[in-house]
Every structure is written in C-alpha cells, then in structure tokens.
Amino acid sequence: MAKIKLTNYKKDFPWFNNNKNYTYLDSAATALKPKCVIDAIVDYYSNAGTNPHNTDSSFSYNIYKNVEVDIRAKLANYFKCEPSEIIYTSGATESLCLFAFGLTKFLNKNDEVLLTSHEHTSNIIPWLQANKQHDFKIKIIDFKESIPNEQKIINSVSKNTKVLSFCNVSNLYGYELNVAKISKAVRKINKNIIIIVDAAQAVSHHSINLKSWNVDFMAVSAHKMFGPTGIGCAYINKKWLDKLDPIKLGGSMNAEVTKENFTYAQAPYKFEGGTLNISGIIGWAAAIDYINKIGIDNINKRIKLLKSYADSKLKTIKNLNYYNLSIPAPTMIFNFKNVHSQDLASYLGNKNIIVRSGLSCSKLIGCSTGIDSYVRASLAFYNDYQDIDNLYNALKKFKKGDELDHVL
C-alpha cells in the first residue's frame, strides 16, 4: 500500500533515543512516556513534594488545588463527566475490584453478572472471588468466534441480569464494541441493569464520552495512555456515589471516627483512602495535555493507518496464522504453524523486537477459540512504518528451528 508521510513523534519519547536498536511493539501492555510526563513528575518531587491532604499553608494548598480540584476537573472534562465522579485509583484493576466488591451487597442468588469470554482477568477474577463470599450467578458469554457479536451480548441480557461488565476494546484481538449502542439496547430489556466498561485499552486512541455511553461505571489506567504506572481512575456515576462502599479504609476517607464507629467522607474522597499517588496524578495530567495537543482523533487515524499497513504486510507471510486481520485497533496477534508463541516471541526478542506471548491476561479466550497462546505485537501512535517493516522482515525470514538459535 502507498505510504502516507507520518509525523515523527518518537522525538517526544526519550525511550527511543535511549534504545535506538530496539523496536517497541508492546504498547498494549504499557505505553511509553513522553518527556513532558517525565518532566512533570520530576518537577513535583523537585519543587513541590507536599501532600494535597495538607492545606495548612499556601504552599501546600497549591498542591491540593492542583491534584484535588484542577486535575480532577481535567479528567472529568476529558471523559465527559462530573469531577465528583472521578475516583483516583491505582489503575483499572483496582477500579474493577472496587466495582465488583462494592456491588455485591446489591446482588442476591437470583441475580446474574454477565461477562464475556474475551475479558481481561481483571474483569473476571474479582467477580469469581466476590461470588465465593456472596450468593449470585455468573454467566459468561462464550464467543467461539474471535470477535464478539454486539447483538449476542444484547440478546444474552435478561430480566435477571443485574450487572453487565465488558471491555469496549480488547487487549488481545483488538475488537471494538459500540458502548452507546449496547447500553441503549440492554436498558430496554432491563432498565435496572448496572453497566460496567473496562476501557483500559480504549483510552490510548479513542475519545470517551460518558454522557453518550450512559453507563454506571468505567475503569481506566493512565499507563495505557502515555501516563505513569500505578495511577488510574474509576468513573462512578453520581447516582452510585452514596450507595457504593469503598474497599480502601483508613486515612482521608473518613469524616468522623469514634470508639464505636466511623462515617465516610463525601465522595469522591470516601473511595480514596490513604495517600494518593500524587506524582502519578500530576504525570497523568501532563499526558492528557500531550494527547489534547496532538488530538485524540488524529491519534486514532494514525493508528488505523499503521494497522492497515501492518495488515498489508503480515497477511502475505507464508504459514503465518494472522488472527485479527482488518481489525482497526492497534494489536496484531499471530502464530507460525507448529511453533509455540513463546518461542516465536523469543526469536523476535533476539532480533530486538519487543512483543508479548501468551494470552495477555485474557485467559478464557483459549477455552473459547481453542487457541491457547498467541504472539501479540501492539502499536501506539509513536510507531512508524519502519517498526512494522522490522517485524515483517524478521517474520519473513523465519524458518522452523530459528526460534532455538539463541538457545542451543
């Protein structure tokens, strides 16, 4: 296919300058960080350093205002919700745990939690654990096909479905689901259904509009969208802020404490026990500014262009099973016939191409598709044609036995 000239975004990311001989194709696991994010974190530790819980001086009050007011408002504006609905967490995993364990008191033995077989384990294990402590039903929609059908999800909802929880972009196959469409349809079937979206993979290249989505909860991680690790947020619709109980108890999340009892602080603070990941929040804000400067729609267009180029190259390789051809999201999953994915990923790693093998934490997919392991190469907007060419050339040259060259 013809190559459209691409802007060089690698110059914004120190990793590329420090690792010139490597090709990074694992952004679905963790996206790299632009210099502005790194600088923001260093600046906090170098020049601020105080805790936003301390407002006893004008100096520390400035950190409080930045973290608790300004950045929370920035995130709310980015996701199209209200600031009080943004809860700082350590990432999508903690957010999904908060939802699962916080909602169990609203579930009884006749209620059903509906998941899909293509979910990340962070959207499965919390429900399995919660189910050991409370009596409700878990139903998993088994998609033997690689791409879940939106209508099958909708048709699986019944009057007994209390919770529907799903990822809108898969971390493995890369499929994209229309949240607004699913939400509208399932609420016609069951108006009281609770809808949870794992948007961890979507945030790196998709705009998110919670107003149009009409969901109850959403989980995201900053490190997927070029921000720091160890920070993310839970979106909790305001109708749930007073109903849901926190799972982190301790300092900052309480209002009054006596020898016999305590009361919660007002949301969002009641969900944020302990000291926040202050530097992470500040770094995340810098990442949001960076994304806004480029434009999320421009990022999405570039991702689709790169994925299309990758499709045009990888589909021509003999004996390569390429499983998600023509899916526009930035993951490519494949295997060579009669070669284990870990061996193939190791071969690529020996060529300085960083990919991932296995099921990428989507561990029920193997039960559905019959494929128990993949090589996943994943893109971000900072990648370019050369990165894809490096992958293609390495795969093109591969022959059975090459995966053992650096081992034997």
Side-chain angles (χ1 to χ4, degrees):
M1 62 177 285
K3 294 182 180 178
I4 298 173
K5 187 175 181 180
L6 299 176
T7 302
N8 176 22
Y9 288 112
K10 287 184 176 180
K11 60 180 174 52
D12 296 339
F13 293 79
W15 189 93
F16 292 104
N17 188 55
N18 296 328
N19 299 279
K20 293 179 180 179
N21 295 325
Y22 284 85
T23 300
Y24 190 74
L25 295 175
D26 198 23
S27 293
T30 292
L32 301 176
K33 320 307 173 193
K35 188 174 185 297
C36 61
V37 169
I38 298 168
D39 288 346
I41 294 170
V42 172
D43 179 71
Y44 164 72
Y45 283 122
S46 299
N47 298 308
T50 62
N51 194 316
H53 295 159
N54 178 3
T55 59
D56 294 333
S57 69
S58 58
F59 184 92
S60 56
Y61 177 81
N62 290 331
I63 302 301
Y64 161 79
K65 184 176 182 300
N66 187 25
V67 170
E68 296 286 13
V69 181
D70 298 342
I71 296 177
R72 202 186 297 269
K74 180 177 296 201
L75 289 165
N77 181 65
Y78 190 81
F79 295 122
K80 305 297 185 293
C81 63
E82 297 181 14
S84 63
E85 297 174 314
I86 294 291
I87 313 301
Y88 293 131
T89 65
S90 63
T93 296
E94 183 186 335
S95 298
L96 290 166
C97 286
L98 170 60
F99 305 152
F101 293 110
L103 287 170
T104 50
K105 74 176 186 178
F106 300 99
L107 303 176
N108 60 49
K109 64 181 181 179
N110 295 318
D111 290 328
E112 175 184 274
V113 173
L114 186 62
L115 311 169
T116 85
S117 58
H118 286 32
E119 298 305 312
H120 191 284
T121 49
S122 293
N123 196 26
I124 294 175
I125 292 176
W127 293 109
L128 296 177
Q129 182 66 23
N131 191 229
K132 293 178 182 179
Q133 303 166 8
H134 301 268
D135 189 15
F136 59 89
K137 298 176 182 178
I138 297 175
K139 178 180 177 182
I140 297 177
I141 308 169
D142 195 2
F143 287 105
K144 297 191 180 302
E145 64 274 25
S146 59
I147 311 303
N149 181 284
E150 291 174 353
Q151 194 58 47
K152 188 171 182 179
I153 294 176
I154 295 167
N155 292 344
S156 298
V157 172
S158 70
K159 294 294 183 182
N160 291 327
T161 306
K162 187 80 171 189
V163 176
L164 169 62
S165 187
F166 63 96
C167 61
N168 66 319
V169 174
S170 166
N171 73 311
L172 191 59
Y173 273 87
Y175 63 78
E176 302 175 9
L177 299 177
N178 187 325
V179 177
K181 173 186 174 182
I182 293 172
S183 176
K184 182 177 180 180
V186 300
R187 290 193 189 282
K188 288 181 179 179
I189 299 169
N190 182 348
K191 67 178 182 179
N192 295 319
I193 192 169
I194 301 166
I195 301 174
I196 301 170
V197 177
D198 173 6
Q201 289 297 322
V203 290
S204 67
H205 61 286
H206 265 296
S207 61
I208 291 176
N209 188 330
L210 286 164
K211 288 182 180 178
S212 65
W213 276 13
N214 189 23
V215 300
D216 298 277
F217 303 95
M218 179 192 72
V220 299
S221 293
H223 74 100
K224 304 288 189 181
M225 54 188 301
F226 321 107
T229 55
I231 187 64
C233 77
Y235 160 75
I236 300 179
N237 188 290
K238 59 185 177 183
K239 68 183 179 184
W240 284 101
L241 290 174
D242 292 333
K243 298 177 185 177
L244 201 71
D245 290 332
I247 59 173
K248 289 201 304 183
L249 306 177
S252 308
M253 50 71 60
N254 61 80
E256 295 182 356
V257 181
T258 67
K259 291 181 178 180
E260 293 79 26
N261 204 356
F262 70 95
T263 58
Y264 294 140
Q266 185 177 2
Y269 310 114
K270 80 172 192 177
F271 299 103
E272 297 173 349
T275 296
L276 295 170
N277 181 353
I278 306 161
S279 64
I281 294 168
I282 289 170
W284 193 9
I288 294 286
D289 290 341
Y290 180 74
I291 291 171
N292 285 336
K293 181 179 178 180
I294 296 170
I296 193 68
D297 290 339
N298 292 328
I299 289 173
N300 195 27
K301 288 176 184 176
R302 176 161 169 147
I303 286 295
K304 290 180 178 179
L305 180 66
L306 289 171
K307 179 56 163 58
S308 179
Y309 181 72
D311 287 348
S312 72
K313 303 288 282 187
L314 297 188
K315 72 179 182 181
T316 67
I317 299 175
K318 186 178 180 180
N319 293 325
L320 185 75
N321 296 319
Y322 185 29
Y323 301 104
N324 62 340
L325 176 68
S326 300
I327 294 176
T331 60
M332 297 89 74
I333 52 173
F334 50 83
N335 283 314
F336 263 116
K337 187 177 180 180
N338 298 323
V339 177
H340 194 276
S341 67
Q342 190 171 18
D343 291 335
L344 182 56
S346 181
Y347 161 81
L348 291 171
N350 196 43
K351 303 293 184 183
N352 292 346
I353 301 172
I354 300 171
V355 296
R356 185 174 180 181
S357 65
L359 291 172
S360 301
C361 292
S362 298
K363 293 191 173 180
L364 294 187
I365 283 184
C367 301
S368 298
T369 64
I371 303 168
D372 62 2
S373 188
Y374 305 80
V375 176
R376 182 186 71 183
S378 51
L379 301 161
F381 75 96
Y382 41 63
N383 288 115
D384 53 30
Y385 298 124
Q386 186 60 57
D387 295 327
I388 296 167
D389 288 342
N390 292 346
L391 175 65
Y392 167 77
N393 291 330
L395 292 172
K396 185 74 174 177
K397 294 175 183 177
F398 177 85
K399 58 184 184 299
K400 187 71 178 74
D402 286 349
E403 70 275 18
L404 301 177
D405 281 355
H406 65 293
V407 177
L408 299 178

